[in-house]
Each structure stands twice: as structure tokens, then as C-alpha cells.
Amino acid sequence: MASIRGEFKPLPRMAAGSRFHKAIETAAFSGVDGQPVVDALLLADYGRVATPLAEHRGIHEGKFTACIAGVLVVGKFDYLTAGVVYDWKTTEKSAGGDYTDSLQWRMTLAALPEITRFRYETFQLKAEEGEPTAVKYLPPGQEFARYPALLSDCEQWIYQFRGYIAHRGLTAFVADKPSNELPEAAA
């Protein structure tokens, strides 16, 4: 229940991931909030994004809302530039994840019709307390595009989610008010 309410204390690796995201957003690769992050070589092999990030041509940490299937969907993204949303994933593993089945990219593309593609980029993070975070880009990333049945698929997942929430008695935890209003789903 605490995770549904958004009540959790970040683990050290989550804090390192947050510092990494902040470093990308601000191009402050040598440190964020007094914590060492990475040096400027971080994005050396990541040329597709390094230049736009350094020049701040896009939107960092964007947020959006959209009504899909009668439900207010609230989402956020790490970076948007030239019609492409980027989401940076961090992991301790030496390989990137497979996000093919993720609802995140689908809901984002359904909610933002002006966006043409959604791209995941994965970085291996090794964080030691008091030391710079070791970061390695894990190519090739994954990119997804809008497809004809996208909105219909998202509506179906929302109907299924609403059914699950009702079946488990969790409506009060995801709705703004205990009423017959539809629950809010986060993308």
C-alpha cells in the first residue's frame, strides 16, 4: 500500500540514479548537490543525445495529463527533443532491459499525439558512497513508434486496470476522493 501512495524511502542506488538524471538535466557531470556524479566523459560514446543535452535544446522532466478511456492519465518523461521522448533507465546489470511490453511508452505516445517516437536508453550505474558514480552507456537502446491500434490497446489496459483496482478494493488509494469517480492511473 505504501508504494501505491508513493510513500517510500529511496535506496542508495535510487539516489544515485536521481543524481545521474540531475547531472544529465543540468550538464553538471562533476557533481550534483555536493555529491560526485560522473566526469564529462560520461556521454562520449552517446553522441545522439550528448549535443542536444549540452545545449539544452529540449525539455527535461516534462509532465503531461490526458484523458484516455475516461481516466486521467498522468505521466512524465525524462527528455523531449525533435518529437522524440527519451527515457533514461539505470541498472546495476551489464545489459539493458527489454521494454517492449512496457505501458510507459504506449501511454506516452497515446497521450501526446504530436510525439512520433519513444526511446529508452540504458546506463549501467555503480555507486559507491563518497565516490563518483561509475556510468557505462549500454547500447543500442530501444525505440518505439505509434501504431494503428495504439489508442485502442491503451484503452483496453485501462479498463483492465480499473477492473483490477475494483476487484482488489484499492479504489480509495488511487482516486482523489472516495466516490464513483474514475481512478487516476500514472504512466
Side-chain angles (χ1 to χ4, degrees), residues 53-117:
L53 284 175
E55 296 174 3
H56 293 283
R57 285 192 248 164
I59 299 169
H60 289 278
E61 292 296 318
K63 295 179 181 170
F64 62 87
T65 59
C67 188
I68 300 175
V71 172
L72 179 63
V73 176
V74 178
K76 64 181 183 173
F77 53 81
D78 291 330
Y79 188 64
L80 167 64
T81 186
V84 180
V85 165
Y86 290 85
D87 191 75
W88 296 298
K89 299 293 187 191
T90 56
T91 181
E92 293 178 330
K93 299 176 184 171
S94 59
D98 179 3
Y99 300 101
T100 304
D101 295 332
S102 172
L103 293 181
Q104 180 185 23
W105 69 265
R106 288 179 173 90
M107 290 292 183
T108 301
L109 290 175
L112 301 171
E114 67 278 12
I115 303 304
T116 58
R117 297 184 321 271

Short mmCIF file of all heavy atoms in Angstrom, two decimals, residues 53-117:
data_model
loop_
_atom_site.label_atom_id
_atom_site.label_comp_id
_atom_site.label_asym_id
_atom_site.label_seq_id
_atom_site.Cartn_x
_atom_site.Cartn_y
_atom_site.Cartn_z
N LEU A 53 21.69 17.61 -25.26
CA LEU A 53 21.67 17.77 -23.80
C LEU A 53 22.55 18.92 -23.38
O LEU A 53 22.15 19.75 -22.57
CB LEU A 53 22.14 16.49 -23.12
CG LEU A 53 21.17 15.34 -23.09
CD1 LEU A 53 21.83 14.12 -22.50
CD2 LEU A 53 19.93 15.69 -22.31
N ALA A 54 23.75 18.96 -23.92
CA ALA A 54 24.69 20.01 -23.54
C ALA A 54 24.16 21.39 -23.93
O ALA A 54 24.40 22.37 -23.25
CB ALA A 54 26.05 19.76 -24.18
N GLU A 55 23.42 21.46 -25.03
CA GLU A 55 22.91 22.74 -25.50
C GLU A 55 21.51 23.04 -24.96
O GLU A 55 20.95 24.09 -25.26
CB GLU A 55 22.91 22.76 -27.02
CG GLU A 55 24.33 22.67 -27.59
CD GLU A 55 24.34 22.53 -29.10
OE1 GLU A 55 23.26 22.56 -29.73
OE2 GLU A 55 25.43 22.40 -29.65
N HIS A 56 20.94 22.11 -24.22
CA HIS A 56 19.60 22.28 -23.63
C HIS A 56 18.56 22.68 -24.67
O HIS A 56 17.80 23.62 -24.49
CB HIS A 56 19.64 23.29 -22.48
CG HIS A 56 20.43 22.78 -21.32
ND1 HIS A 56 19.94 21.85 -20.45
CD2 HIS A 56 21.68 23.06 -20.90
CE1 HIS A 56 20.86 21.58 -19.55
NE2 HIS A 56 21.93 22.29 -19.80
N ARG A 57 18.52 21.96 -25.79
CA ARG A 57 17.57 22.27 -26.85
C ARG A 57 16.19 21.67 -26.58
O ARG A 57 15.25 22.06 -27.22
CB ARG A 57 18.08 21.73 -28.18
CG ARG A 57 19.18 22.56 -28.75
CD ARG A 57 19.42 22.14 -30.16
NE ARG A 57 20.73 21.51 -30.25
CZ ARG A 57 21.13 20.77 -31.25
NH1 ARG A 57 20.33 20.51 -32.24
NH2 ARG A 57 22.33 20.25 -31.25
N GLY A 58 16.10 20.71 -25.69
CA GLY A 58 14.83 20.03 -25.47
C GLY A 58 14.22 20.37 -24.14
O GLY A 58 14.62 21.31 -23.46
N ILE A 59 13.23 19.58 -23.77
CA ILE A 59 12.52 19.75 -22.49
C ILE A 59 12.92 18.60 -21.58
O ILE A 59 12.77 17.44 -21.92
CB ILE A 59 11.00 19.71 -22.71
CG1 ILE A 59 10.58 20.85 -23.64
CG2 ILE A 59 10.26 19.78 -21.38
CD1 ILE A 59 9.14 20.73 -24.11
N HIS A 60 13.45 18.95 -20.40
CA HIS A 60 13.81 17.96 -19.39
C HIS A 60 12.65 17.80 -18.42
O HIS A 60 11.98 18.76 -18.07
CB HIS A 60 15.04 18.41 -18.60
CG HIS A 60 16.30 18.37 -19.39
ND1 HIS A 60 17.02 17.21 -19.58
CD2 HIS A 60 16.97 19.34 -20.04
CE1 HIS A 60 18.09 17.48 -20.31
NE2 HIS A 60 18.07 18.76 -20.60
N GLU A 61 12.46 16.57 -17.94
CA GLU A 61 11.47 16.27 -16.90
C GLU A 61 10.10 16.88 -17.22
O GLU A 61 9.50 17.58 -16.42
CB GLU A 61 11.95 16.77 -15.53
CG GLU A 61 13.15 16.02 -14.99
CD GLU A 61 12.86 14.54 -14.71
OE1 GLU A 61 11.78 14.23 -14.17
OE2 GLU A 61 13.73 13.71 -15.04
N GLY A 62 9.61 16.56 -18.42
CA GLY A 62 8.29 17.05 -18.81
C GLY A 62 7.18 16.23 -18.18
O GLY A 62 7.36 15.05 -17.89
N LYS A 63 6.06 16.88 -17.94
CA LYS A 63 4.90 16.20 -17.37
C LYS A 63 3.71 16.42 -18.28
O LYS A 63 3.62 17.43 -18.96
CB LYS A 63 4.61 16.73 -15.97
CG LYS A 63 5.74 16.42 -15.02
CD LYS A 63 5.49 16.96 -13.64
CE LYS A 63 6.70 16.59 -12.77
NZ LYS A 63 6.69 17.24 -11.50
N PHE A 64 2.77 15.47 -18.26
CA PHE A 64 1.58 15.60 -19.09
C PHE A 64 0.40 14.90 -18.43
O PHE A 64 0.56 14.05 -17.56
CB PHE A 64 1.82 15.01 -20.49
CG PHE A 64 2.12 13.54 -20.49
CD1 PHE A 64 1.10 12.60 -20.53
CD2 PHE A 64 3.43 13.09 -20.47
CE1 PHE A 64 1.39 11.24 -20.54
CE2 PHE A 64 3.72 11.74 -20.47
CZ PHE A 64 2.70 10.81 -20.51
N THR A 65 -0.79 15.30 -18.84
CA THR A 65 -2.01 14.61 -18.45
C THR A 65 -2.85 14.45 -19.71
O THR A 65 -2.78 15.27 -20.63
CB THR A 65 -2.83 15.40 -17.41
OG1 THR A 65 -3.17 16.68 -17.94
CG2 THR A 65 -2.06 15.57 -16.11
N ALA A 66 -3.62 13.39 -19.75
CA ALA A 66 -4.53 13.14 -20.86
C ALA A 66 -5.66 12.25 -20.36
O ALA A 66 -5.47 11.47 -19.44
CB ALA A 66 -3.80 12.46 -22.02
N CYS A 67 -6.79 12.41 -20.97
CA CYS A 67 -7.92 11.54 -20.63
C CYS A 67 -7.97 10.42 -21.66
O CYS A 67 -8.13 10.67 -22.86
CB CYS A 67 -9.21 12.35 -20.63
SG CYS A 67 -10.61 11.41 -19.99
N ILE A 68 -7.80 9.21 -21.18
CA ILE A 68 -7.87 8.02 -22.05
C ILE A 68 -8.87 7.08 -21.42
O ILE A 68 -8.75 6.73 -20.25
CB ILE A 68 -6.49 7.34 -22.20
CG1 ILE A 68 -5.47 8.32 -22.81
CG2 ILE A 68 -6.60 6.07 -23.05
CD1 ILE A 68 -4.06 7.78 -22.90
N ALA A 69 -9.87 6.68 -22.18
CA ALA A 69 -10.92 5.78 -21.70
C ALA A 69 -11.60 6.33 -20.45
O ALA A 69 -11.96 5.58 -19.55
CB ALA A 69 -10.37 4.38 -21.45
N GLY A 70 -11.74 7.65 -20.37
CA GLY A 70 -12.41 8.27 -19.24
C GLY A 70 -11.58 8.35 -17.98
O GLY A 70 -12.09 8.69 -16.92
N VAL A 71 -10.29 8.04 -18.08
CA VAL A 71 -9.40 8.07 -16.92
C VAL A 71 -8.33 9.12 -17.16
O VAL A 71 -7.76 9.21 -18.24
CB VAL A 71 -8.74 6.68 -16.69
CG1 VAL A 71 -7.67 6.75 -15.63
CG2 VAL A 71 -9.78 5.64 -16.35
N LEU A 72 -8.07 9.91 -16.13
CA LEU A 72 -6.99 10.88 -16.22
C LEU A 72 -5.66 10.16 -16.07
O LEU A 72 -5.37 9.60 -15.02
CB LEU A 72 -7.13 11.94 -15.12
CG LEU A 72 -6.04 13.02 -15.11
CD1 LEU A 72 -6.08 13.84 -16.41
CD2 LEU A 72 -6.18 13.91 -13.90
N VAL A 73 -4.90 10.15 -17.14
CA VAL A 73 -3.58 9.52 -17.14
C VAL A 73 -2.55 10.63 -16.92
O VAL A 73 -2.55 11.63 -17.63
CB VAL A 73 -3.30 8.79 -18.47
CG1 VAL A 73 -1.89 8.22 -18.50
CG2 VAL A 73 -4.32 7.68 -18.69
N VAL A 74 -1.71 10.46 -15.92
CA VAL A 74 -0.69 11.44 -15.58
C VAL A 74 0.66 10.77 -15.84
O VAL A 74 0.90 9.66 -15.39
CB VAL A 74 -0.79 11.86 -14.10
CG1 VAL A 74 0.30 12.84 -13.73
CG2 VAL A 74 -2.18 12.41 -13.80
N GLY A 75 1.53 11.45 -16.55
CA GLY A 75 2.83 10.87 -16.85
C GLY A 75 3.92 11.90 -16.87
O GLY A 75 3.67 13.11 -16.79
N LYS A 76 5.13 11.43 -16.97
CA LYS A 76 6.27 12.32 -17.10
C LYS A 76 7.31 11.63 -17.98
O LYS A 76 7.28 10.42 -18.16
CB LYS A 76 6.85 12.71 -15.75
CG LYS A 76 7.43 11.57 -14.96
CD LYS A 76 7.94 12.07 -13.62
CE LYS A 76 8.58 10.92 -12.87
NZ LYS A 76 9.23 11.37 -11.65
N PHE A 77 8.20 12.44 -18.51
CA PHE A 77 9.27 11.88 -19.34
C PHE A 77 10.57 12.56 -18.95
O PHE A 77 10.58 13.65 -18.39
CB PHE A 77 8.98 12.03 -20.83
CG PHE A 77 8.64 13.43 -21.28
CD1 PHE A 77 9.63 14.37 -21.51
CD2 PHE A 77 7.32 13.80 -21.46
CE1 PHE A 77 9.31 15.66 -21.91
CE2 PHE A 77 6.99 15.09 -21.87
CZ PHE A 77 7.99 16.02 -22.10
N ASP A 78 11.67 11.90 -19.28
CA ASP A 78 12.98 12.44 -18.93
C ASP A 78 13.41 13.57 -19.87
O ASP A 78 13.96 14.57 -19.42
CB ASP A 78 14.04 11.34 -18.93
CG ASP A 78 13.83 10.35 -17.80
OD1 ASP A 78 13.31 10.76 -16.75
OD2 ASP A 78 14.19 9.18 -17.95
N TYR A 79 13.17 13.39 -21.17
CA TYR A 79 13.67 14.37 -22.12
C TYR A 79 12.86 14.29 -23.41
O TYR A 79 12.49 13.21 -23.85
CB TYR A 79 15.15 14.10 -22.41
CG TYR A 79 15.85 15.15 -23.23
CD1 TYR A 79 16.00 16.45 -22.74
CD2 TYR A 79 16.37 14.86 -24.48
CE1 TYR A 79 16.66 17.42 -23.48
CE2 TYR A 79 17.03 15.83 -25.22
CZ TYR A 79 17.17 17.11 -24.72
OH TYR A 79 17.82 18.07 -25.44
N LEU A 80 12.60 15.45 -24.00
CA LEU A 80 11.88 15.53 -25.28
C LEU A 80 12.64 16.47 -26.19
O LEU A 80 12.95 17.60 -25.81
CB LEU A 80 10.46 16.06 -25.05
CG LEU A 80 9.68 16.49 -26.30
CD1 LEU A 80 9.42 15.30 -27.22
CD2 LEU A 80 8.36 17.14 -25.89
N THR A 81 12.93 15.99 -27.38
CA THR A 81 13.56 16.84 -28.38
C THR A 81 13.17 16.32 -29.77
O THR A 81 13.11 15.10 -29.98
CB THR A 81 15.10 16.89 -28.24
OG1 THR A 81 15.62 17.84 -29.18
CG2 THR A 81 15.77 15.56 -28.44
N ALA A 82 12.86 17.22 -30.67
CA ALA A 82 12.54 16.89 -32.07
C ALA A 82 11.49 15.79 -32.20
O ALA A 82 11.62 14.90 -33.03
CB ALA A 82 13.82 16.52 -32.82
N GLY A 83 10.46 15.82 -31.36
CA GLY A 83 9.38 14.86 -31.46
C GLY A 83 9.68 13.48 -30.91
O GLY A 83 8.91 12.54 -31.12
N VAL A 84 10.80 13.34 -30.21
CA VAL A 84 11.18 12.05 -29.63
C VAL A 84 11.29 12.20 -28.12
O VAL A 84 11.96 13.10 -27.62
CB VAL A 84 12.54 11.56 -30.19
CG1 VAL A 84 12.91 10.21 -29.57
CG2 VAL A 84 12.49 11.45 -31.71
N VAL A 85 10.61 11.31 -27.40
CA VAL A 85 10.73 11.26 -25.94
C VAL A 85 11.83 10.27 -25.60
O VAL A 85 11.87 9.17 -26.15
CB VAL A 85 9.40 10.83 -25.28
CG1 VAL A 85 9.61 10.43 -23.83
CG2 VAL A 85 8.37 11.94 -25.36
N TYR A 86 12.72 10.68 -24.70
CA TYR A 86 13.77 9.79 -24.21
C TYR A 86 13.50 9.46 -22.75
O TYR A 86 13.12 10.33 -21.97
CB TYR A 86 15.15 10.48 -24.30
CG TYR A 86 15.64 10.65 -25.71
CD1 TYR A 86 15.25 11.74 -26.47
CD2 TYR A 86 16.50 9.72 -26.28
CE1 TYR A 86 15.70 11.90 -27.77
CE2 TYR A 86 16.95 9.87 -27.57
CZ TYR A 86 16.55 10.96 -28.32
OH TYR A 86 16.99 11.12 -29.60
N ASP A 87 13.70 8.21 -22.41
CA ASP A 87 13.62 7.80 -21.02
C ASP A 87 14.92 7.10 -20.68
O ASP A 87 15.32 6.16 -21.37
CB ASP A 87 12.44 6.85 -20.80
CG ASP A 87 12.19 6.62 -19.32
OD1 ASP A 87 11.64 7.53 -18.67
OD2 ASP A 87 12.58 5.56 -18.81
N TRP A 88 15.60 7.60 -19.65
CA TRP A 88 16.87 7.03 -19.24
C TRP A 88 16.64 6.04 -18.11
O TRP A 88 16.10 6.39 -17.07
CB TRP A 88 17.85 8.11 -18.81
CG TRP A 88 18.19 9.00 -19.96
CD1 TRP A 88 18.82 8.64 -21.11
CD2 TRP A 88 17.92 10.39 -20.07
NE1 TRP A 88 18.95 9.73 -21.93
CE2 TRP A 88 18.40 10.81 -21.32
CE3 TRP A 88 17.31 11.32 -19.23
CZ2 TRP A 88 18.31 12.12 -21.76
CZ3 TRP A 88 17.21 12.63 -19.68
CH2 TRP A 88 17.71 13.02 -20.93
N LYS A 89 17.06 4.83 -18.34
CA LYS A 89 16.95 3.78 -17.33
C LYS A 89 18.35 3.50 -16.79
O LYS A 89 19.33 3.47 -17.55
CB LYS A 89 16.37 2.49 -17.93
CG LYS A 89 14.97 2.64 -18.48
CD LYS A 89 13.99 2.91 -17.38
CE LYS A 89 12.56 2.90 -17.89
NZ LYS A 89 11.61 3.40 -16.91
N THR A 90 18.44 3.28 -15.50
CA THR A 90 19.71 2.91 -14.90
C THR A 90 19.57 1.53 -14.28
O THR A 90 18.51 1.16 -13.80
CB THR A 90 20.15 3.93 -13.83
OG1 THR A 90 19.11 4.05 -12.85
CG2 THR A 90 20.42 5.29 -14.45
N THR A 91 20.64 0.79 -14.34
CA THR A 91 20.65 -0.57 -13.82
C THR A 91 22.03 -0.90 -13.29
O THR A 91 23.01 -0.25 -13.66
CB THR A 91 20.24 -1.58 -14.93
OG1 THR A 91 20.23 -2.90 -14.39
CG2 THR A 91 21.21 -1.53 -16.11
N GLU A 92 22.10 -1.91 -12.44
CA GLU A 92 23.40 -2.40 -11.98
C GLU A 92 23.90 -3.52 -12.90
O GLU A 92 25.04 -3.93 -12.82
CB GLU A 92 23.29 -2.91 -10.54
CG GLU A 92 23.02 -1.81 -9.54
CD GLU A 92 22.87 -2.32 -8.12
OE1 GLU A 92 22.43 -3.47 -7.93
OE2 GLU A 92 23.21 -1.57 -7.20
N LYS A 93 23.01 -4.00 -13.77
CA LYS A 93 23.35 -5.12 -14.67
C LYS A 93 24.22 -4.62 -15.81
O LYS A 93 24.29 -3.43 -16.11
CB LYS A 93 22.06 -5.75 -15.20
CG LYS A 93 21.18 -6.31 -14.10
CD LYS A 93 19.90 -6.82 -14.66
CE LYS A 93 18.99 -7.28 -13.52
NZ LYS A 93 17.66 -7.59 -13.96
N SER A 94 24.82 -5.56 -16.52
CA SER A 94 25.71 -5.20 -17.62
C SER A 94 24.99 -5.20 -18.97
O SER A 94 25.62 -5.07 -20.00
CB SER A 94 26.90 -6.15 -17.68
OG SER A 94 26.44 -7.47 -17.85
N ALA A 95 23.67 -5.36 -18.96
CA ALA A 95 22.90 -5.32 -20.19
C ALA A 95 21.64 -4.49 -19.96
O ALA A 95 21.11 -4.43 -18.85
CB ALA A 95 22.51 -6.74 -20.62
N GLY A 96 21.19 -3.83 -21.01
CA GLY A 96 19.97 -3.04 -20.91
C GLY A 96 18.74 -3.94 -20.84
O GLY A 96 18.80 -5.12 -21.17
N GLY A 97 17.63 -3.38 -20.42
CA GLY A 97 16.40 -4.14 -20.30
C GLY A 97 15.63 -4.18 -21.61
O GLY A 97 15.93 -3.47 -22.56
N ASP A 98 14.62 -5.03 -21.64
CA ASP A 98 13.72 -5.11 -22.78
C ASP A 98 12.42 -4.44 -22.37
O ASP A 98 11.71 -4.93 -21.51
CB ASP A 98 13.49 -6.57 -23.18
CG ASP A 98 12.54 -6.70 -24.37
OD1 ASP A 98 12.12 -5.68 -24.93
OD2 ASP A 98 12.23 -7.84 -24.73
N TYR A 99 12.09 -3.33 -23.00
CA TYR A 99 10.92 -2.55 -22.64
C TYR A 99 9.78 -2.71 -23.64
O TYR A 99 8.83 -1.92 -23.63
CB TYR A 99 11.31 -1.07 -22.48
CG TYR A 99 12.35 -0.90 -21.42
CD1 TYR A 99 13.70 -0.73 -21.74
CD2 TYR A 99 12.01 -0.98 -20.07
CE1 TYR A 99 14.65 -0.61 -20.75
CE2 TYR A 99 12.96 -0.87 -19.07
CZ TYR A 99 14.28 -0.68 -19.43
OH TYR A 99 15.22 -0.58 -18.44
N THR A 100 9.85 -3.74 -24.47
CA THR A 100 8.84 -3.97 -25.49
C THR A 100 7.43 -4.02 -24.89
O THR A 100 6.50 -3.46 -25.45
CB THR A 100 9.13 -5.27 -26.26
OG1 THR A 100 10.45 -5.18 -26.81
CG2 THR A 100 8.14 -5.49 -27.37
N ASP A 101 7.26 -4.68 -23.77
CA ASP A 101 5.95 -4.84 -23.17
C ASP A 101 5.53 -3.70 -22.24
O ASP A 101 4.46 -3.75 -21.65
CB ASP A 101 5.88 -6.16 -22.39
CG ASP A 101 6.02 -7.38 -23.29
OD1 ASP A 101 5.65 -7.28 -24.48
OD2 ASP A 101 6.50 -8.42 -22.82
N SER A 102 6.34 -2.68 -22.13
CA SER A 102 6.07 -1.57 -21.21
C SER A 102 4.85 -0.76 -21.65
O SER A 102 4.67 -0.47 -22.83
CB SER A 102 7.28 -0.65 -21.14
OG SER A 102 6.98 0.50 -20.40
N LEU A 103 4.04 -0.40 -20.67
CA LEU A 103 2.92 0.50 -20.94
C LEU A 103 3.39 1.95 -20.97
O LEU A 103 2.70 2.81 -21.51
CB LEU A 103 1.83 0.34 -19.89
CG LEU A 103 1.11 -0.99 -19.89
CD1 LEU A 103 0.04 -1.01 -18.80
CD2 LEU A 103 0.49 -1.28 -21.24
N GLN A 104 4.55 2.24 -20.41
CA GLN A 104 5.04 3.62 -20.34
C GLN A 104 5.12 4.25 -21.72
O GLN A 104 4.60 5.34 -21.94
CB GLN A 104 6.41 3.66 -19.65
CG GLN A 104 6.97 5.06 -19.54
CD GLN A 104 8.38 5.09 -18.97
OE1 GLN A 104 9.12 4.11 -19.05
NE2 GLN A 104 8.76 6.22 -18.42
N TRP A 105 5.78 3.60 -22.66
CA TRP A 105 5.93 4.20 -23.98
C TRP A 105 4.59 4.27 -24.71
O TRP A 105 4.31 5.24 -25.40
CB TRP A 105 7.00 3.48 -24.81
CG TRP A 105 6.72 2.09 -25.27
CD1 TRP A 105 7.09 0.93 -24.66
CD2 TRP A 105 6.04 1.69 -26.47
NE1 TRP A 105 6.68 -0.16 -25.38
CE2 TRP A 105 6.04 0.28 -26.50
CE3 TRP A 105 5.43 2.39 -27.51
CZ2 TRP A 105 5.44 -0.46 -27.54
CZ3 TRP A 105 4.84 1.67 -28.55
CH2 TRP A 105 4.86 0.27 -28.55
N ARG A 106 3.76 3.27 -24.51
CA ARG A 106 2.46 3.27 -25.18
C ARG A 106 1.56 4.41 -24.68
O ARG A 106 0.95 5.13 -25.45
CB ARG A 106 1.77 1.93 -24.98
CG ARG A 106 2.38 0.80 -25.77
CD ARG A 106 1.62 -0.50 -25.48
NE ARG A 106 2.07 -1.57 -26.33
CZ ARG A 106 3.05 -2.41 -26.01
NH1 ARG A 106 3.71 -2.26 -24.87
NH2 ARG A 106 3.40 -3.37 -26.83
N MET A 107 1.46 4.53 -23.34
CA MET A 107 0.61 5.58 -22.77
C MET A 107 1.13 6.97 -23.13
O MET A 107 0.35 7.89 -23.39
CB MET A 107 0.51 5.43 -21.25
CG MET A 107 -0.29 4.25 -20.80
SD MET A 107 -2.03 4.42 -21.20
CE MET A 107 -2.66 2.93 -20.47
N THR A 108 2.44 7.13 -23.15
CA THR A 108 3.02 8.43 -23.51
C THR A 108 2.68 8.79 -24.94
O THR A 108 2.23 9.91 -25.23
CB THR A 108 4.55 8.43 -23.30
OG1 THR A 108 4.83 8.12 -21.94
CG2 THR A 108 5.17 9.77 -23.67
N LEU A 109 2.87 7.85 -25.87
CA LEU A 109 2.55 8.13 -27.27
C LEU A 109 1.05 8.34 -27.48
O LEU A 109 0.64 9.18 -28.28
CB LEU A 109 3.06 7.01 -28.18
CG LEU A 109 4.59 6.93 -28.33
CD1 LEU A 109 4.99 5.71 -29.15
CD2 LEU A 109 5.15 8.20 -28.94
N ALA A 110 0.21 7.60 -26.74
CA ALA A 110 -1.24 7.78 -26.86
C ALA A 110 -1.67 9.14 -26.31
O ALA A 110 -2.56 9.79 -26.85
CB ALA A 110 -1.97 6.65 -26.14
N ALA A 111 -1.05 9.57 -25.23
CA ALA A 111 -1.41 10.83 -24.58
C ALA A 111 -0.88 12.05 -25.32
O ALA A 111 -1.46 13.14 -25.23
CB ALA A 111 -0.90 10.84 -23.14
N LEU A 112 0.21 11.89 -26.04
CA LEU A 112 0.86 13.01 -26.73
C LEU A 112 0.93 12.74 -28.23
O LEU A 112 1.96 12.29 -28.75
CB LEU A 112 2.27 13.22 -26.17
CG LEU A 112 2.37 13.51 -24.67
CD1 LEU A 112 3.82 13.49 -24.20
CD2 LEU A 112 1.70 14.84 -24.35
N PRO A 113 -0.16 13.00 -28.96
CA PRO A 113 -0.18 12.66 -30.38
C PRO A 113 0.87 13.36 -31.23
O PRO A 113 1.20 12.89 -32.32
CB PRO A 113 -1.60 13.05 -30.83
CG PRO A 113 -2.20 13.82 -29.73
CD PRO A 113 -1.40 13.60 -28.49
N GLU A 114 1.43 14.47 -30.73
CA GLU A 114 2.46 15.17 -31.51
C GLU A 114 3.83 14.50 -31.41
O GLU A 114 4.75 14.83 -32.16
CB GLU A 114 2.56 16.64 -31.05
CG GLU A 114 3.07 16.84 -29.65
CD GLU A 114 2.01 16.69 -28.53
OE1 GLU A 114 0.90 16.20 -28.78
OE2 GLU A 114 2.34 17.05 -27.39
N ILE A 115 3.97 13.54 -30.51
CA ILE A 115 5.23 12.82 -30.35
C ILE A 115 5.26 11.65 -31.34
O ILE A 115 4.29 10.91 -31.44
CB ILE A 115 5.39 12.30 -28.91
CG1 ILE A 115 5.29 13.45 -27.90
CG2 ILE A 115 6.68 11.52 -28.73
CD1 ILE A 115 6.28 14.56 -28.12
N THR A 116 6.37 11.50 -32.03
CA THR A 116 6.45 10.45 -33.05
C THR A 116 7.09 9.17 -32.55
O THR A 116 6.74 8.08 -33.01
CB THR A 116 7.24 10.94 -34.28
OG1 THR A 116 8.55 11.34 -33.86
CG2 THR A 116 6.53 12.10 -34.95
N ARG A 117 8.04 9.29 -31.61
CA ARG A 117 8.76 8.10 -31.14
C ARG A 117 9.08 8.21 -29.65
O ARG A 117 9.16 9.31 -29.10
CB ARG A 117 10.07 7.93 -31.93
CG ARG A 117 9.85 7.69 -33.40
CD ARG A 117 11.13 7.42 -34.19
NE ARG A 117 12.29 8.21 -33.84
CZ ARG A 117 12.61 9.37 -34.37
NH1 ARG A 117 11.85 9.94 -35.26
NH2 ARG A 117 13.72 9.99 -34.01
#
